[in-house]
Amino acid sequence: MNCIEAAEGTAKAILINLLDLAMEYRMDVSEYIRNVKAAVDAAVSFVKNNPEISDTPDILRDILYDFARQLWLTRTEKGTDPDQTEAEKADVEYQAYCYDYIYAHGNYPR
């Protein structure tokens, strides 16, 4: 395993744990996504400050963003309540839009 794979794997493990905690404690979505962005930014910053790891930290940002987004959408699509009806489950396209918007702006779209 090389250094960039270790950095990516560690960041992905952190993102999985953040989602688990967010679901367990029913964290507000905007708070959760801001935490995800902070974790992604920290990993990218670390790689930028250590150029021997990789000379393309922006690729890591894209990988981690896509990973965290898909992880969240998958968990949202499944729902947290096993008795939830299909009508109560989140609309994935809307949830994807909200995720992107909150990630970029820090709050819900108005």
Side-chain angles (χ1 to χ4, degrees):
M1 177 182 295
N2 62 32
C3 292
I4 190 64
E5 289 172 344
E8 179 184 332
T10 301
K12 285 181 175 180
I14 290 168
L15 293 170
I16 290 168
N17 285 341
L18 281 174
L19 181 59
D20 290 343
L21 286 171
M23 291 298 185
E24 181 179 344
Y25 292 102
R26 297 178 183 240
M27 185 182 295
D28 179 72
V29 174
S30 60
E31 182 179 356
Y32 161 70
I33 295 172
R34 285 191 301 267
N35 289 336
V36 165
K37 185 174 183 176
V40 169
D41 288 348
V44 171
S45 176
F46 177 77
V47 171
K48 278 184 182 178
N49 292 332
N50 295 279
E52 66 276 6
I53 295 174
S54 175
D55 58 352
T56 55
D58 291 332
I59 292 174
L60 179 62
R61 178 184 313 281
D62 295 341
I63 290 169
L64 294 177
Y65 174 84
D66 290 341
F67 176 80
R69 183 178 185 264
Q70 189 57 48
L71 191 67
W72 184 74
L73 289 172
T74 300
R75 184 78 62 97
T76 302
E77 189 174 7
K78 284 195 304 189
T80 56
D81 182 3
D83 296 328
Q84 193 175 34
T85 66
E86 287 299 315
E88 294 172 323
K89 288 187 180 177
D91 175 35
V92 177
E93 286 182 32
Y94 177 73
Q95 293 301 320
Y97 167 75
C98 283
Y99 185 94
D100 295 338
Y101 191 93
I102 294 168
Y103 192 93
H105 302 335
N107 56 8
Y108 281 96
R110 296 181 188 247

